[in-house]
Amino acid sequence: MPAHILIVEDEEPLTLLLRYNLESEGYGVESVGRGDEAETRLRESVPDLVILDWMLPGLSGIELCRRLRTRPETERLPVIMLTARGEETERVRGLATGADDYVVKPFSVPELLARVRALLRRAKPEHVATLLRAGDIELDRETHRVHRAGREVHLGPTEFRLLEFLMQSPGRVFSREQLLDGVWGQDVYIDERTVDVHVGRLRKAINRGRQSDPIRTVRGAGYSFNEMFARSH
């Protein structure tokens, strides 16, 4: 059963970005935009992890986090605090209040997803798949190694993240812009054609001889991991 994550954030564009990327990773996602609504929601049922903004209407994230730590049902609930406050004293305050991790805006989406996985791995290890398999390709998130039909495939860090991102959602077509956000992060400003270069490198590394290409190019749209390939072998 996938982990369930609650996003407590009042910036709708950021909420949509987080929901999209978390759902792409296979998590169940809910969101609320006010601190007091989040407190009510958390009394009804407890998710596996909370992504919590510091500044919220109704009730601040820092106060909500403090209250969560006073309740037996939520005292060990993993919490990642999001904030524009980057000063060391504020980070210390957030962690001292009970946050398990602290991410300063603007942040890299891949980094946040890695922090989510790390927290869940410690708190709910049964919810985090360290091994992704599709067709004859196997990707190990812990060792950062990839094998195809038993052969080790040597990938650079960017090609590894790109393959991981595509394998998480077989059949789903991602535009170049979506791949840039999901693999490189929103705060990185590079040309969209950079995606084509790295897809080319990835294809060269994973395809040998007459092996079928698992990456599908959708003209005018982007790229996807071939769903039929993922079901084969």
Side-chain angles (χ1 to χ4, degrees):
M1 185 175 178
H4 190 83
I5 296 175
L6 176 66
I7 301 169
V8 188
E9 169 61 63
D10 62 334
E11 295 180 32
E12 188 174 355
L14 180 55
T15 299
L16 292 173
L17 176 69
L18 292 173
R19 176 185 284 275
Y20 173 81
N21 282 279
L22 289 166
E23 288 179 343
S24 294
E25 288 258 318
Y27 301 118
V29 180
E30 279 188 75
S31 62
V32 294
R34 295 176 56 91
D36 49 358
E37 291 176 4
E39 184 175 33
T40 300
R41 166 67 182 76
L42 287 161
R43 288 187 180 278
E44 295 169 353
S45 62
V46 180
D48 296 299
L49 182 142
V50 175
I51 297 176
L52 179 63
D53 189 28
W54 182 304
M55 299 293 290
L56 291 166
L59 181 69
S60 73
I62 201 84
E63 175 60 21
L64 176 57
C65 187
R66 187 192 67 77
R67 294 183 187 183
L68 291 176
R69 295 308 182 222
T70 64
R71 294 177 53 219
E73 301 90 340
T74 54
E75 63 179 352
R76 296 185 181 277
L77 173 63
V79 174
I80 296 178
M81 185 79 73
L82 300 181
T83 179
R85 299 167 179 256
E87 299 84 0
E88 181 181 358
T89 54
E90 298 298 338
R91 291 199 300 270
V92 170
R93 182 184 171 199
L95 294 169
T97 304
D100 297 280
D101 206 347
Y102 189 101
V103 179
V104 179
K105 301 176 183 177
F107 52 82
S108 158
V109 172
E111 180 184 354
L112 178 64
L113 294 177
R115 289 172 184 255
V116 167
R117 285 196 296 270
L119 259 183
L120 286 173
R121 190 175 293 119
R122 292 199 299 268
K124 307 269 184 177
E126 68 277 12
H127 287 309
V128 181
T130 58
L131 215 58
L132 292 180
R133 292 190 180 92
D136 60 355
I137 296 177
E138 185 178 276
L139 181 148
D140 191 318
R141 285 168 157 163
E142 285 194 340
T143 64
H144 277 242
R145 299 177 78 175
V146 175
H147 290 83
R148 180 167 190 185
R151 171 182 67 87
E152 184 166 5
V153 178
H154 298 284
L155 299 177
T158 301
E159 285 72 37
F160 181 91
R161 293 197 305 271
L162 181 58
L163 179 62
E164 178 186 22
F165 189 83
L166 290 170
M167 286 180 67
Q168 286 164 175
S169 305
R172 185 170 184 171
V173 178
F174 294 97
S175 68
R176 292 177 179 86
E177 183 179 359
Q178 289 171 329
L179 289 171
L180 282 176
D181 287 346
V183 177
W184 280 264
Q186 266 201 318
D187 54 342
V188 176
Y189 298 97
I190 53 179
D191 190 273
E192 288 187 1
R193 294 295 168 180
T194 300
V195 173
D196 300 337
V197 174
H198 287 281
V199 168
R201 290 176 182 171
L202 176 58
R203 279 175 161 153
K204 185 176 180 180
I206 62 176
N207 300 327
R208 291 287 177 88
R210 297 187 177 182
Q211 288 179 317
S212 57
D213 187 355
I215 299 173
R216 188 166 66 98
T217 301
V218 182
R219 189 181 298 275
Y223 298 99
S224 73
F225 194 90
N226 193 315
E227 191 170 17
M228 297 304 295
F229 176 89
R231 294 176 179 174
S232 65
H233 300 81

